[in-house]
Amino acid sequence: MPSVNDRVLLAVESSCDETAVAVIDADRRVLASVIASQDELHRRWGGVVPEVASRAHLERILPCLREALDASGRSLADVGAIAAVTEPGLVGSLLVGLTAAKTLAWTLGVPLVAVNHVEAHLYACRWAADGEPFPAVGLVASGGHTSLYDCRSTLDFELLGTTIDDAAGEAFDKAAALLGLPYPGGPALERAAVGGRADAVPFPRAFLHEPRLEFSFSGLKTALLYAVRGQPNARQPPPSITPERLADLAASFQAAVIDVLAAKCEQALAATGRDTLCIGGGVAANRALRARLEQLADRRGIRLLISPREYCTDNAAMAAIAWDLLEAGRVSPLDIDVTPGLVRKRDQNAAPAKLTSPAANASRR
Amino acid sequence: MRPLSSTVVEFLSGSEAETDRFAAALAPLLRPGDVVALDGDLGAGKTRLVRALAAALGCDAAQVSSPTFGLVQHYAGPLPLVHIDAYRLRDCDEFEELGGRELFEADAVTLIEWADRIAPSLPTKRWTIAAEHVGPTSRRYRVACPPDERAARLLAAAAGGA
């Protein structure tokens, strides 16, 4: 498509608490990546608040679009396609970005490409690679996701397994809340763990030696609760939370999460025979996890691609995957709706994902 | 299970297998349109009970995970489930502005974790299940049934040793 190739992709991501817009050229060079974070808003509530999130997206989407285009040195006339993250995420938040993207695609007369947020996180590993990142085993670990994929190509992802309860980032957030640490919990817990003993508290590591490619962090969360507040009906109170105890608890908790993530990556590598491991999502910013995965890669002699830090947290640049989709003809109709839940590709035909946006529900009735 | 009043029973679960059996006894009493409020502290076993109920109702229990981040998840099955988590919600206003009531579907059972945060937005005729830590692997579930003919069936199930 030569007429498209000298033009740029305008990408919008609003699946959770960041409003993000990026401009990417056909060579996958990121010309601009603008992110308006709502961390400050959410800190007051101790977590992402969906309604606060969607209102804030509304206020920020147009300034973000303008800023990204300005920063890229391009104009709307240069836009050859629009990408929008349509799944998974918070309904109201996704709808703000998708509606902006649809409006632009319709008024500019350019194709709209729907992007899966989790797959885009893995695609961001291409910026850590010299060449193509896939085929690979991919792990996305964030506040909303802990999922292992067999990434056959940028167009073909198979979900191998996911968490059966809490996501890794959610576990970090809830652990931080139990320990009285600030939001966002991941970075706060990582800081609190510095100097702590990772073997101070023997926290559980679910399914560690089982072959199943699934995660569970709920029992770990409960174990931390007991370590902080004491066992139910215990005769003795738990040790008081001194700075040393806090560091030990944080370090031990972090080690338990990392042990499980690393072990399941290794199992998935063995099961698929892939020789590349791609890591994306906010938890990939954790330094102790990175160090552990580097050891694993050295030991197995595989290529490790960790998404660059700026693309670990939510961003629109990773929606550059839309170029691959566009080149394969995967353009979305303008009446496409958001899909908040995680869609399992292999189950798609058996049980189509249900649309849950309030608008979709209203129109059904 | 043991009865506490004409509409309330209590179940002490000593293991995940017992929680599954408790859910299997409860599941036949659920019907389309029911709303189930689930309350309890972090790690009290709310998501685990939803998984057990999903399995007992013929849904794919592997699809069940914490909806804390995404707010709502749907599980298809003979009796579909809508799984909501109000952990990150501040109050009812926020739930309603999100169109939360639209999520209560007439053809599905709606299960809501951290329901006490949005209690005024819930139908008055509903199930309430309070989960509580008893020990590292044991949980107490206190079930309040809607005041209809199912209360007698719930008590019968409790008396029957379920």
Side-chain angles (χ1 to χ4, degrees):
Chain A
M1 279 181 278
S3 63
V4 169
N5 278 357
D6 56 345
R7 299 170 83 181
V8 294
L9 175 78
L10 182 62
V12 179
E13 142 73 36
S14 65
S15 63
C16 187
D17 59 342
E18 329 277 2
T19 315
V21 178
V23 179
I24 306 117
D25 73 12
D27 295 325
R28 309 337 185 229
R29 282 184 304 230
V30 181
L31 306 182
S33 176
V34 171
I35 302 164
S37 174
Q38 299 176 21
D39 274 2
E40 203 47 58
L41 278 174
H42 295 304
R43 197 164 282 130
R44 286 186 294 143
W45 310 116
V48 175
V49 182
E51 177 55 19
V52 174
S54 48
R55 264 190 220 149
H57 283 305
L58 264 181
E59 287 165 11
R60 288 165 195 212
I61 186 75
L62 291 178
C64 282
L65 280 163
R66 202 168 294 125
E67 197 183 325
L69 279 171
D70 286 351
S72 71
R74 301 298 190 101
S75 72
L76 281 178
D78 299 321
V79 173
I82 308 280
V85 170
T86 58
E87 62 173 321
L90 308 175
V91 182
S93 298
L94 286 165
L95 279 172
V96 174
L98 177 60
T99 306
K102 281 180 180 177
T103 308
L104 281 166
W106 186 72
T107 51
L108 297 173
V110 299
L112 173 73
V113 183
V115 168
N116 177 301
H117 173 89
V118 189
E119 294 173 2
H121 264 303
L122 291 171
Y123 188 81
C125 291
R126 69 170 292 116
W127 290 302
D130 291 332
E132 289 299 314
F134 306 144
V137 162
L139 169 73
V140 176
S142 65
H145 311 286
T146 304
S147 301
L148 272 169
Y149 287 83
D150 183 13
C151 315
R152 297 190 190 99
S153 75
T154 53
L155 305 172
D156 186 6
F157 294 81
E158 186 191 351
L159 183 62
L160 297 174
T162 184
T163 177
I164 66 163
D165 39 55
D166 298 355
E170 176 185 352
F172 274 123
D173 268 346
K174 286 181 173 170
L178 285 171
L179 291 169
L181 298 169
Y183 179 87
L189 195 123
E190 187 178 357
R191 281 192 301 275
V194 174
R197 292 171 300 153
D199 58 355
V201 185
F203 283 128
R205 285 138 169 90
F207 315 145
L208 190 64
H209 301 296
E210 293 175 40
R212 59 201 280 198
L213 292 174
E214 288 182 320
F215 304 90
S216 168
F217 296 108
S218 184
L220 172 60
K221 173 185 67 187
T222 307
L224 177 68
L225 176 82
Y226 291 160
V228 172
R229 297 188 193 162
Q231 299 271 357
N233 309 319
R235 297 232 174 93
Q236 291 175 336
S240 59
I241 305 289
T242 60
E244 292 76 24
R245 174 78 175 159
L246 178 69
D248 282 352
L249 286 168
S252 298
F253 185 90
Q254 178 174 266
V257 174
I258 289 172
D259 278 357
V260 172
L261 292 177
K264 292 300 158 187
C265 285
E266 189 152 20
Q267 285 180 4
L269 286 163
T272 59
R274 302 283 180 221
D275 57 6
T276 299
L277 176 61
C278 288
I279 310 288
V283 178
N286 182 290
R287 287 183 183 82
L289 174 65
R290 287 177 173 241
R292 168 66 67 83
L293 294 173
E294 279 160 14
Q295 287 170 12
L296 186 159
D298 283 348
R299 180 162 45 76
R300 287 189 72 94
I302 57 148
R303 183 171 66 144
L304 173 67
L305 301 176
I306 303 182
S307 169
R309 283 184 85 87
E310 67 265 37
Y311 302 132
C312 281
T313 46
D314 291 348
N315 66 90
M318 64 188 190
I321 194 174
W323 272 123
D324 291 51
L325 295 165
L326 187 65
E327 285 164 7
R330 295 207 195 162
V331 172
S332 300
L334 285 180
D335 64 351
I336 188 174
D337 205 339
V338 298
T339 309
L342 186 65
V343 178
R344 289 165 185 247
K345 289 248 151 133
R346 55 191 166 182
D347 294 350
Q348 248 173 348
N349 296 326
K354 196 165 184 181
L355 301 177
T356 56
S357 70
N361 279 344
S363 62
R364 270 210 313 268
R365 278 165 194 175
Chain B
M1 256 193 289
R2 70 185 181 96
L4 296 181
S5 77
S6 61
T7 55
V8 181
V9 302
E10 186 178 85
F11 183 79
L12 193 63
S13 170
S15 67
E16 295 198 37
E18 284 185 25
T19 299
D20 289 335
R21 281 203 293 279
F22 163 57
L26 206 55
L29 300 176
L30 295 173
R31 59 191 184 203
D34 275 358
V35 172
V36 183
L38 287 159
D39 293 313
D41 203 353
L42 279 173
K46 300 181 293 297
T47 305
R48 184 63 186 81
L49 182 62
V50 172
R51 178 193 311 285
L53 284 168
L57 289 168
C59 298
D60 178 7
Q63 299 267 351
V64 177
S65 65
S66 165
T68 293
F69 170 85
L71 190 68
V72 58
Q73 287 164 191
H74 288 76
Y75 312 124
L79 179 54
L81 297 181
V82 180
H83 186 188
I84 298 177
D85 189 332
Y87 178 76
R88 295 183 190 270
L89 294 179
R90 191 175 15 145
D91 55 29
C92 288
D93 286 352
E94 208 153 64
F95 182 71
E96 309 231 337
E97 284 174 52
L98 275 164
R101 282 184 201 246
E102 296 274 349
L103 296 170
F104 304 152
E105 293 184 19
D107 58 354
V109 171
T110 304
L111 299 141
I112 306 162
E113 298 195 34
W114 300 93
D116 49 353
R117 301 190 177 200
I118 55 168
S121 290
L122 305 181
T124 50
K125 191 185 164 189
R126 62 174 184 259
W127 293 82
T128 300
I129 302 180
E132 202 184 337
H133 291 271
V134 180
T137 59
S138 49
R139 300 287 186 273
R140 183 182 295 114
Y141 292 104
R142 191 163 289 176
V143 184
C145 177
D148 56 32
E149 81 288 351
R150 289 175 295 175
R153 290 169 58 198
L154 179 67
L155 293 179

